[in-house]
Amino acid sequence: MSRPVKVGVVIRMLAARLEQERAAALAETTDDLSWQAGFCEGIEHARHVIRNGG
């Protein structure tokens, strides 16, 4: 497996992990919806940076 392929696999793995974390945070019951929304927005931004480099 070439290096670019390995990097692509790692990027997809990290993005999938972040999506799982975001889904878990959304499923969590909380009274602080603004914190939950901000947390999920931050995770979504991290996924974007990982996939697109910025």
Side-chain angles (χ1 to χ4, degrees):
M1 188 179 287
S2 68
R3 186 173 187 86
V5 172
K6 287 181 186 177
V7 171
V9 169
V10 170
I11 288 171
R12 284 190 297 279
M13 182 182 65
L14 288 172
R17 173 68 76 106
L18 285 171
E19 179 56 29
Q20 290 172 350
E21 292 292 326
R22 188 182 74 81
L26 285 173
E28 207 172 285
T29 57
T30 182
D31 292 331
D32 190 354
L33 296 178
S34 62
W35 178 88
Q36 185 181 44
F39 180 77
C40 291
E41 185 177 326
I43 288 177
E44 185 59 34
H45 177 71
R47 281 184 57 226
H48 176 79
V49 169
I50 288 170
R51 286 190 171 173
N52 301 316

